[in-house]
């Protein structure tokens, strides 16, 4: 039997248990060209909240009654597709369910001997690719740059900061709580970390970036984005990856009031959607893998168990009650 989490109601504000329905169905049969994946882990990402809205975006909104969209990794247990063999491990977008049928579109092989399976939906998956291409291709970092990263203890921000350090930048993180800030500095190697929950962000930015900053990688939006806009250097680059502080708003999203700093400093603000770099994922994964093997990048997955526990695990994305990449194990 196959446990599936169906998306049944578009949330207004925060998603809650009524947003989804857990059902049990027979394990699906495969047809020619398809294969069956026994899914071990699914990825939980802030982007999920945007996928639930019936609004124009970079990807089509989820349909009511569909399996909750999610990245996943698991084992091929039946196949009528010559490109994918039984016993092979694959990652893709299999959704929040224990078994997924696919023709292989968007799926690719992974090797659990080279890295733990959850890593392939974390540092070697979408979050890692977002960080790799976002900070280098969009942020255009170079040695000596002053780089600020919000959501620094999260799946994307933690990798962004470590890449920036590898490239010779001075890196300041922003995270919520003393424990996360300690992790960001002591374990990930950032030069400093600002605790937005307990410190004056503007004052600390001035202290840590007295001459301003060159690159800001934004995962949160809102007041933090506004504060950073006040510290830009000439020709600064802002990478807009996410705005988690705004995702559950019932009213209109709050835009930056300090945006004229872009004009004064001839700065740029550019969005990053990881799918735009799909043809270069292999390049990104190989380099990230090398850095991880060299000990230059540390990967951390926060793993919870049980597909029935998806709603409360999902809420950890917004409560901040997690460290690193949030992952749910869905198969016993």
């Amino acid at each position: 039997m196959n446990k599936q989490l169906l998306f049944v109601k578009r949330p207004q504000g925060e998603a809650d248990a009524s947003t989804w329905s857990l059902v049990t169905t027979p394990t699906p049969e495969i047809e020619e060209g398809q294969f069956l994946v026994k899914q071990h882990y699914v990825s939980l990402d802030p982007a999920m909240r945007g996928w639930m809205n019936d609004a124009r975006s970079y990807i089509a909104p989820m349909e009511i009654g569909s399996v909750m969209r999610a990245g996943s990794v698991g084992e091929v247990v039946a196949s009528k597709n010559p490109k994918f063999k039984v016993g092979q491990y694959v990652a893709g977008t299999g959704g929040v369910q224990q078994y997924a049928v696919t023709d292989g579109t968007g799926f690719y092989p992974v090797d659990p001997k080279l890295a733990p399976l959850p890593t392939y939906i974390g540092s070697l998956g979408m979050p890692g690719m977002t960080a790799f291409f976002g900070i280098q291709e969009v942020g255009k970092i170079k040695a000596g740059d002053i780089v600020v990263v919000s959501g620094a203890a999260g799946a994307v921000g933690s990798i962004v900061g470590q890449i920036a350090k590898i490239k010779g930048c001075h890196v300041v993180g922003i995270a919520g709580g003393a424990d996360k800030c300690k992790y960001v500095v002591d374990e990930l190697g950032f030069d400093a970390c600002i605790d937005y929950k307990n410190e004056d962000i503007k004052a600390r930015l001035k202290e840590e970036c007295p001459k301003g900053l060159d690159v800001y990688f934004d995962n949160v939006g809102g007041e933090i984005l506004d504060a950073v806009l006040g510290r830009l250097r000439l020709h600064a680059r802002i990478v807009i990856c996410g705005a988690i502080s705004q995702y559950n708003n019932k009213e209109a999203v709050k835009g930056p009031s300090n945006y004229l700093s872009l004009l004064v400093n001839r700065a740029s603000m550019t969005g990053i959607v990881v799918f735009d770099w799909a043809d270069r994922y292999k390049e990104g994964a190989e380099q990230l893998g090398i850095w991880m093997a060299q000990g230059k990048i540390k990967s951390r997955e926060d793993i919870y168990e049980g597909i029935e526990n998806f709603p409360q695990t999902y809420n950890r994305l917004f409560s901040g009650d997690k460290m690193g990449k949030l992952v749910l194990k869905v198969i016993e």
Side-chain angles (χ1 to χ4, degrees):
M1 301 300 287
N2 183 26
K3 291 182 180 179
Q4 300 177 302
L5 193 79
L6 304 184
F7 174 61
V8 296
K9 189 180 78 172
R10 298 196 190 280
Q12 299 297 316
E14 296 182 7
D16 58 27
S18 67
T19 304
W20 303 281
S21 176
L22 184 65
V23 300
T24 302
T25 60
T27 304
E29 298 290 332
I30 57 172
E31 300 176 356
E32 285 300 322
Q34 296 181 330
F35 59 94
L36 179 67
V37 182
K38 180 180 181 180
Q39 306 210 118
H40 288 238
Y41 301 93
V42 299
S43 174
L44 289 93
D45 301 282
M48 287 175 155
R49 182 60 189 83
W51 300 340
M52 299 181 205
N53 296 331
D54 188 12
R56 179 179 176 273
S57 186
Y58 60 87
I59 191 172
M62 289 188 300
E63 296 182 1
I64 296 296
S66 64
V67 173
M68 179 66 199
R69 183 184 293 158
S72 59
V73 63
E75 180 184 2
V76 177
V77 293
S79 179
K80 293 183 180 179
N81 184 319
K83 296 180 180 179
F84 294 88
K85 308 296 185 183
V86 171
Q88 191 173 27
Y89 287 85
V90 294
T93 306
V96 184
Q97 55 184 340
Q98 293 178 317
Y99 292 88
V101 170
T102 176
D103 62 3
T105 302
F107 278 79
Y108 54 92
V110 300
D111 189 346
K113 295 178 182 178
L114 297 179
L117 285 179
T119 310
Y120 290 106
I121 49 176
S123 299
L124 295 177
M126 185 175 71
M129 298 304 106
T130 302
F132 184 87
F133 295 108
I135 193 59
Q136 296 186 105
E137 301 293 341
V138 182
K140 302 184 186 303
I141 53 171
K142 59 185 183 300
D145 276 347
I146 308 300
V147 178
V148 175
V149 185
S150 60
V156 175
S158 61
I159 304 300
V160 166
Q162 292 180 88
I163 292 173
K165 286 300 298 179
I166 290 169
K167 296 296 181 177
C169 301
H170 179 86
V171 183
V172 178
I174 302 175
D179 288 344
K180 287 187 177 182
C181 287
K182 181 176 174 59
Y183 164 70
V184 166
V185 174
D186 293 351
E187 294 192 40
L188 301 184
F190 286 47
D191 295 287
C193 190
I194 299 169
D195 180 359
Y196 76 85
K197 290 185 176 181
N198 300 295
E199 295 182 302
D200 184 315
I201 298 172
K202 290 183 179 180
R204 290 285 282 117
L205 280 170
K206 186 175 182 180
E207 179 183 331
E208 296 296 342
C209 311
K211 296 182 179 180
L213 60 98
D214 299 289
V215 180
Y216 173 50
F217 196 100
D218 186 29
N219 289 300
V220 302
E223 294 179 1
I224 293 177
L225 171 58
D226 240 10
V228 173
L229 282 169
R231 300 301 305 166
L232 301 184
R233 295 172 75 172
L234 202 62
H235 305 302
R237 289 86 67 199
I238 297 177
V239 184
I240 302 295
C241 177
I244 197 168
S245 71
Q246 305 295 302
Y247 288 167
N248 290 320
N249 283 1
K250 292 184 178 180
E251 63 278 359
V253 169
K254 297 176 182 178
S257 61
N258 209 9
Y259 76 97
L260 286 179
S261 180
L262 296 169
L263 184 158
V264 173
N265 294 289
R266 287 74 118 194
S268 65
M269 184 184 288
T270 308
I272 166 71
V273 174
V274 69
F275 305 134
D276 293 344
W277 306 95
D279 61 342
R280 294 178 59 188
Y281 284 177
K282 183 178 179 182
E283 169 195 339
E286 287 178 349
Q287 183 58 71
L288 286 167
I290 290 171
W291 284 334
M292 290 172 68
Q294 293 173 338
K296 294 180 178 180
I297 283 185
K298 295 181 180 179
S299 176
R300 179 167 178 168
E301 292 77 41
D302 203 351
I303 302 174
Y304 296 85
E305 295 191 12
I307 191 171
E308 65 278 1
N309 295 321
F310 177 89
Q312 53 265 50
T313 307
Y314 164 87
N315 285 333
R316 291 177 182 271
L317 289 168
F318 300 94
S319 68
D321 186 17
K322 70 175 187 68
M323 196 87 81
K325 178 72 187 79
L326 192 60
V327 175
L328 186 66
K329 184 176 181 181
V330 295
I331 203 78
E332 289 79 7

